Amino acid sequence: MNLQGGVQAMGKSKRIWLLALTAVVSLSVVTACSGPNDAKKNNTGTTEPTSAAATTETEPKQDKVTFKIFNGVAGSKDGNTNETTIGKLLEDQTGVNFKLEFVVGDLNTKIGTMIAANDYPDVLIPDAAIEEVLNAGAFIPLDELIEKYGPNIQRVYGKSLNQMRSKDGKIYFLPIAAQVNDFIPEPEAGAGFWVQRRVLEEAGYPKIKTLDQYIELIKNYRDKHKDENLTGMVSLTHDWRFFATSNPPMHLMGYPNDGNVTVDTNTWEAKTYAGAESTKKWLKALNDLNAAGLFDKASFVDNYDQYIAKLTSHKVLGFFDYRWQVDNALNVLKDAARKDPSLDGFKYFPLPVTFEEGTPDAYLDPPGGLVTNRGIGITVSAKDPVRIIQFFDNMLTEENQTLMSWGIKGETYEVNEKGRYYRTQEQIDKIDEPFRESFGFKYFSWNWPMYNATSTLADGNAKNVASQPEVFQMTLTDKDKAILEKYGVQTYSQLFAEPVPRPYFPAWGFAKEQNSPEQLWEASKDEMTKKYFPKLVLTTPDKFDAVWEEYMKEFGKLDTAGYEKWTTEQVKAKVEMANQ
Amino acid sequence: MRLFFKKLGQQRALAVMSVPFLIWLFVFKYLPLWGWSIAFQDYKPARKFMEQTWIGFEHFKFLFGDDRFLRVLRNTLAMSSINLFFGFVTAITLALLLNEIRNIAFKRVVQTVSYLPHFISWVVAASIIQTTLSPDGTINQLLVGLGFLDRGNEILFLGIPEYFWTIFGASSVWKDIGWNTIVYLAAMTTIDPTQYEAAEIDGANRFKKMIYVTLPGIKSVVIVLLIMNIGYLLESGFEPQYLLGNGMNVDYSENIDIFVLKYGIAQSNFSLSIAAGMFKTVVSFILLFMANNAAKRMGEARLY
């Protein structure tokens, strides 16, 4: 009715015509935005004859296809894998190209939208949102596909296939990386108590083993340099990164990073430590540091950027953290020291600190099982799951794993007469961030089915370039070599105790159901520790015990026994599966 | 009735033009109300409506039975009221003062400087505030320099829960004062200059003109804005509290929105989020209605 009236009205008056025109134009602007996308969509579906690339494949050449992949981890720019050197080679082998899209903004929102619309990209890497994706039934089971088309997948994931099964006994996704061949620890520890090198130098490079010695070291240095306005220790507490402050008790007791629990390798019992004596001891140490004016109070209000800025300010003597979290700061200091060796004293040196002298530390991640709460899966919207699984399988060949981390022989790496891979200085200099992007190292470094970083290739070379001792030695400066020599080691990780295998590792990687008691325990515990730890550290030493009591009263309200029971069950199940 | 159709016929162009907006209003404002049903379900995503389990008022019971919810409700109301009161008082005062300034260049500078912070995102603003308030920040340095504090005893402003509301209020005023004055300044330009002349003849000084001419002149704008803002009383904002909040001041910084994020969305408990959202909407509606009614009773300008 109204619309008809409108048409008549339009016929009558030019002015209304104009208005209608404006409306149409503005509408077409909206629709135009989706225009190019549609065109692209059509393109991806079209098939082109494969150019005569010299493929080693014996089966008939297949048409080229492009699949969409959504990665729930923010990182690189969106793009096609075949626009990179590695991706092009893989496309020549399989005819498959992937269009990668990375998450922008909130992951849960993005995944939630996909679920609500029941419309997914062909391949999905849901990262932390994997439970929702599984609950929504978005992944197709892979068992048959792996059986038929996945000889390499079976080889790589073989011993863990049972651990990968969901409750209904089917495999829905491939975990992000699996241990293959020999275990080779990374040349740098993943975590540790860090201290400025000048502190060690002035103390005459002592062997530091315990927390008390570490604090003593820092205290002594500060006392000698009272007028320099130095900070003894800082701690990272911002938002979800709070674990940098709550995890140390676990490491100080000599356990690897299992998140909220420590696991006994004899009984496979998991125990939480947030309310244990170890946590009290650690916080008491910080409390004493604070009382002595050595702890940076602002640690509890600073955000992550402020924390990183402090680490690069040369004023902070020590801190505990995971290397991946402070990489930016360490790299800045490293670059500065490379340009001006006199700044070397401001670089940080990792120390294997525990509570007791005799406890072997566990800062190096042990060879473990699989992280089974992260992975890559094929969705119900996928056009051709067979081609995708074939691509994954092809990725996992020895040659392609070498290609993805080392690149092309003669171009990005060399082989010496003993068959060891290495890189020349020229190659090292060439491989900067833009090169990593255009060559494809960046796209293929993470979140695909692959050998994990501590794996070796069949010929004994390290899968990861940085883990190859020869390459690592080349990255060291003279000062680095000198300080390592003082401690009688060639790599930083040799300072640390050899990791003990833990087939369930890591416990933080156990998949928890949304809204489950386990998840609620973690959320409530986080909130409690975030509230009480600052109080405990910043209170005067005489009131410490009283605040601890208060904290224990709150903490007692949680169903910690239930959480420990659940985690122990998970650990035991994983261990059992690994032993099968 | 016939009169209505006659009028509609006369103004059919207008009526046609409003159709797209009515559709928009329906699609984006009324259709989503359907989603409220989720608050009464044990909602699981990707399941059809008929497959959801209905659990009645469970989520509301959880909300109101939780100490934390009452605490965040208190924080929300407190921070909103602070915002509302100081936002109004400071903005109107600044507008009155600006209106009195005859030096155009100076007026422009003041206006620009005061409304610039509005265009900074809260992420950046929060960083500025955090840096200023940190132990080695400007404020602590000033206090130390003036001898109010000893070095080493700097105040951890964001670490003292009781300070949070003040910091929040001051930050909001700093950020939005200039922006909020714009509407009042605009309202002031509509005041008939003859009123000022008449007042002057009656012997009013500048201050008196402000009180008896300018303020009554913008009264209707103030009241309409006040009514609208009362409707938003449960919306104390999200970003400043989230960005400035930390473990130490959580008892005073956490508001309903953050609570919903932590216990609803982050735990994928969408039903709880919706229940909290519903509570907010219903309370806001009641508040708005009451404020409007009060204005009506007093014979003042009102929303509807």
Side-chain angles (χ1 to χ4, degrees):
Chain A
M1 272 279 284
N2 270 334
L3 276 176
Q4 269 178 356
V7 173
Q8 282 165 8
M10 272 190 270
K12 278 176 194 161
S13 161
K14 261 188 188 169
R15 198 180 291 165
I16 295 174
W17 259 115
L18 216 67
L19 276 170
L21 204 69
T22 328
V24 169
V25 168
S26 50
L27 261 177
S28 62
V29 167
V30 176
T31 45
C33 292
S34 56
N37 277 343
D38 286 344
K40 254 184 214 161
K41 244 182 236 161
N42 291 335
N43 266 343
T44 58
T46 54
T47 53
E48 301 161 26
T50 324
S51 56
T55 49
T56 48
E57 304 258 315
T58 44
E59 47 191 290
K61 282 197 192 90
Q62 289 180 309
D63 296 335
K64 280 193 183 178
V65 278
T66 296
F67 294 114
K68 273 194 183 169
I69 187 163
F70 176 80
N71 191 335
V73 184
S76 317
K77 287 183 288 206
D78 294 359
N80 285 300
T81 53
N82 68 359
E83 285 156 14
T84 67
T85 313
I86 297 176
K88 184 81 193 111
L89 287 170
L90 292 177
E91 192 192 40
D92 289 344
Q93 292 167 14
T94 58
V96 174
N97 167 45
F98 277 102
K99 190 172 183 302
L100 286 163
E101 191 193 329
F102 294 87
V103 68
V104 178
D106 183 49
L107 172 69
N108 282 318
T109 317
K110 185 79 194 180
I111 298 280
T113 319
M114 285 182 194
I115 291 173
N118 200 25
D119 181 24
Y120 306 93
D122 302 280
V123 178
L124 188 59
I125 303 168
D127 196 52
I130 200 155
E131 272 302 309
E132 280 96 320
V133 171
L134 289 173
N135 279 341
F139 281 153
I140 59 165
L142 303 175
D143 303 65
E144 271 178 43
L145 291 168
I146 293 175
E147 192 83 7
K148 259 196 202 153
Y149 305 103
N152 285 302
I153 295 176
Q154 284 177 9
R155 175 175 61 86
V156 171
Y157 290 96
K159 56 180 191 295
S160 327
L161 280 177
N162 280 329
Q163 295 190 30
M164 287 152 57
R165 288 182 203 287
S166 150
K167 265 184 235 137
D168 62 2
K170 293 207 176 88
I171 296 170
Y172 287 98
F173 62 90
L174 295 174
I176 35 191
Q179 172 71 31
V180 180
N181 301 325
D182 290 333
F183 176 80
I184 162 166
E186 292 182 64
E188 290 193 63
F193 275 82
W194 304 79
V195 71
Q196 281 190 342
R197 290 181 173 190
R198 56 173 172 163
V199 178
L200 288 171
E201 189 184 354
E202 198 169 286
Y205 301 105
K207 284 218 166 16
I208 303 295
K209 283 281 174 209
T210 69
L211 184 62
D212 295 338
Q213 291 166 358
Y214 177 80
I215 288 172
E216 193 63 32
L217 180 77
I218 284 177
K219 218 175 239 171
N220 285 340
Y221 189 86
R222 207 281 308 251
D223 288 347
K224 274 190 221 154
H225 300 261
K226 272 239 148 84
D227 49 335
E228 284 177 37
N229 197 15
L230 297 172
T231 306
M233 266 187 104
V234 296
S235 197
L236 172 59
T237 61
H238 187 234
D239 208 12
W240 59 272
R241 297 179 192 268
F242 190 79
F243 60 81
T245 302
S246 63
N247 277 4
M250 167 173 66
H251 295 294
L252 288 167
M253 285 188 287
Y255 289 97
N257 182 11
D258 269 326
N260 286 309
V261 292
T262 56
V263 177
D264 186 328
T265 44
N266 295 316
T267 59
W268 302 118
E269 293 285 333
K271 275 197 106 56
T272 63
Y273 55 89
E277 207 50 37
S278 53
T279 296
K280 192 177 175 185
K281 225 162 139 186
W282 159 241
L283 293 174
K284 180 74 191 143
L286 290 183
N287 180 278
D288 289 341
L289 272 175
N290 182 51
L294 280 163
F295 183 79
D296 183 22
K297 272 185 254 182
S299 290
F300 290 111
V301 292
D302 279 351
N303 61 31
Y304 180 60
D305 294 335
Q306 286 169 310
Y307 169 76
I308 293 295
K310 275 188 179 157
L311 295 188
T312 51
S313 72
H314 297 181
K315 294 284 182 199
V316 176
L317 299 180
F319 63 95
F320 165 87
D321 210 337
Y322 296 92
R323 196 164 45 101
W324 61 268
Q325 214 157 215
V326 291
D327 253 349
N328 279 341
L330 298 185
N331 285 339
V332 167
L333 294 170
K334 206 188 269 177
D335 288 348
R338 208 178 274 279
K339 284 194 196 100
D340 178 3
S342 69
L343 297 175
D344 190 74
F346 299 118
K347 280 167 78 174
Y348 289 97
F349 193 78
L351 294 170
V353 172
T354 52
F355 279 133
E356 308 285 338
E357 181 94 45
T359 319
D361 67 87
Y363 288 101
L364 296 176
D365 276 349
L370 278 182
V371 175
T372 46
N373 67 352
R374 298 283 192 280
I376 184 167
I378 303 174
T379 68
V380 287
S381 310
K383 278 164 285 195
D384 195 350
V386 174
R387 293 288 296 274
I388 297 171
I389 206 86
Q390 282 175 329
F391 182 87
F392 287 169
D393 190 68
N394 180 53
M395 278 180 102
L396 288 168
T397 62
E398 197 73 24
E399 302 81 61
N400 283 333
Q401 286 296 304
T402 315
L403 172 70
M404 279 156 61
S405 51
W406 286 90
I408 297 165
K409 190 176 153 186
E411 199 174 314
T412 53
Y413 76 101
E414 305 291 337
V415 186
N416 72 8
E417 62 282 1
K418 283 186 203 138
R420 299 293 292 173
Y421 299 172
Y422 68 100
R423 272 181 183 159
T424 63
Q425 192 58 51
E426 201 180 310
Q427 283 164 347
I428 289 175
D429 294 341
K430 180 173 75 174
I431 302 171
D432 53 3
E433 213 48 25
F435 184 86
R436 279 166 45 77
E437 246 166 56
S438 67
F439 194 82
F441 283 137
K442 196 157 185 180
Y443 277 163
F444 289 101
S445 66
W446 186 239
N447 266 324
W448 294 90
M450 64 198 296
Y451 300 3
N452 72 12
T454 51
S455 302
T456 50
L457 300 165
D459 56 13
N461 284 297
K463 150 78 171 43
N464 247 31
V465 179
S467 299
Q468 184 88 330
E470 291 91 328
V471 175
F472 178 71
Q473 287 298 329
M474 288 199 68
T475 63
L476 296 176
T477 64
D478 292 340
K479 290 256 187 186
D480 293 334
K481 284 179 187 154
I483 194 166
L484 286 169
E485 207 170 290
K486 291 270 192 247
Y487 284 98
V489 290
Q490 276 90 48
T491 66
Y492 296 103
S493 62
Q494 283 171 3
L495 281 164
F496 293 77
E498 193 134 320
V500 182
R502 289 167 176 265
Y504 68 87
F505 188 82
W508 59 258
F510 297 162
K512 278 163 220 92
E513 258 178 68
Q514 289 295 339
N515 226 341
S516 58
E518 299 85 60
Q519 219 188 26
L520 262 179
W521 184 90
E522 288 186 356
S524 315
K525 182 226 110 191
D526 275 352
E527 189 161 313
M528 244 171 242
T529 49
K530 276 181 193 166
K531 191 164 141 188
Y532 280 98
F533 282 17
K535 276 193 196 171
L536 283 159
V537 174
L538 299 182
T539 186
T540 50
D542 57 307
K543 289 202 192 105
F544 180 85
D545 284 314
V547 183
W548 179 262
E549 285 304 309
E550 199 185 318
Y551 167 56
M552 280 335 287
K553 230 168 88 194
E554 275 286 293
F555 189 76
K557 288 182 194 160
L558 297 178
D559 180 20
T560 306
Y563 182 79
E564 287 176 346
K565 185 166 163 273
W566 179 85
T567 317
T568 305
E569 277 165 18
Q570 303 292 312
V571 169
K572 286 187 172 162
K574 296 250 163 176
V575 171
E576 212 163 283
M577 280 192 267
N579 288 340
Q580 265 171 12
Chain B
M1 207 58 194
R2 205 189 301 152
L3 200 71
F4 171 76
F5 279 109
K6 198 175 165 201
K7 204 134 200 199
L8 190 72
Q10 279 167 355
Q11 303 183 348
R12 59 185 174 270
L14 273 175
V16 169
M17 276 157 63
S18 65
V19 167
F21 299 104
L22 283 177
I23 295 174
W24 174 84
L25 194 73
F26 182 73
V27 169
F28 289 103
K29 298 286 164 183
Y30 286 94
L31 272 189
L33 287 181
W34 173 248
W36 276 16
S37 62
I38 290 172
F40 306 100
Q41 300 166 348
D42 181 16
Y43 179 74
K44 291 266 185 303
R47 255 191 233 164
K48 290 200 185 67
F49 182 71
M50 296 312 292
E51 293 165 11
Q52 304 286 356
T53 22
W54 293 85
I55 55 166
F57 285 91
E58 273 314 298
H59 293 298
F60 292 93
K61 271 187 204 150
F62 173 82
L63 273 186
F64 299 116
D66 194 343
D67 303 342
R68 272 176 301 207
F69 186 74
L70 300 178
R71 201 186 66 212
V72 300
L73 187 61
R74 175 202 70 178
N75 293 344
T76 310
L77 286 173
M79 284 188 271
S80 279
S81 313
I82 290 172
N83 233 356
L84 189 66
F85 181 72
F86 284 103
F88 262 84
V89 172
T90 53
I92 293 172
T93 315
L94 183 68
L96 284 175
L97 294 177
L98 278 175
N99 196 44
E100 294 300 314
I101 290 173
R102 296 286 163 254
N103 183 336
I104 298 293
F106 180 68
K107 187 174 168 178
R108 290 259 163 83
V109 170
V110 171
Q111 255 192 300
T112 313
V113 168
S114 66
Y115 75 55
L116 262 185
H118 177 81
F119 297 101
I120 314 175
S121 84
W122 263 113
V123 178
V124 177
S127 245
I128 296 174
I129 295 162
Q130 268 173 337
T131 316
T132 320
L133 294 176
S134 77
D136 48 6
T138 331
I139 296 192
N140 269 312
Q141 276 179 358
L142 198 72
L143 288 175
V144 170
L146 292 174
F148 290 114
L149 282 175
D150 295 330
R151 191 165 291 285
N153 272 338
E154 286 93 350
I155 302 171
L156 206 58
F157 286 102
L158 285 168
I160 301 166
E162 289 79 10
Y163 285 10
F164 189 82
W165 292 351
T166 318
I167 293 170
F168 167 78
S171 319
S172 304
V173 165
W174 163 71
K175 200 161 178 303
D176 283 327
I177 183 170
W179 186 255
N180 291 340
T181 54
I182 291 175
V183 63
Y184 301 117
L185 284 173
M188 284 172 196
T189 56
T190 62
I191 299 170
D192 191 349
T194 53
Q195 289 192 33
Y196 287 105
E197 283 158 23
E200 205 163 325
I201 289 164
D202 289 345
N205 60 18
R206 273 193 154 199
F207 186 70
K208 290 233 161 103
K209 272 190 274 177
M210 227 169 15
I211 300 289
Y212 296 110
V213 182
T214 318
L215 265 184
I218 60 168
K219 197 169 84 179
S220 56
V221 175
V222 173
I223 287 171
V224 168
L225 281 179
L226 197 64
I227 295 171
M228 282 168 73
N229 282 324
I230 283 173
Y232 288 116
L233 207 54
L234 284 185
E235 306 270 353
S236 64
F238 168 76
E239 287 167 299
Q241 288 91 340
Y242 187 76
L243 294 165
L244 291 173
N246 58 44
M248 299 172 82
N249 58 29
V250 65
D251 281 349
Y252 286 80
S253 65
E254 199 175 33
N255 64 6
I256 294 183
D257 293 331
I258 296 175
F259 180 83
V260 165
L261 182 78
K262 268 194 201 164
Y263 291 92
I265 296 163
Q267 309 273 337
S268 289
N269 193 346
F270 300 111
S271 304
L272 188 72
S273 322
I274 307 255
M278 254 176 93
F279 166 74
K280 266 170 66 175
T281 311
V282 171
V283 172
S284 301
F285 183 76
I286 294 170
L287 284 172
L288 182 75
F289 195 74
M290 276 170 22
N292 196 55
N293 239 14
K296 200 169 168 180
R297 289 258 171 82
M298 292 187 287
E300 297 290 353
R302 56 183 194 268
L303 214 51
Y304 55 86

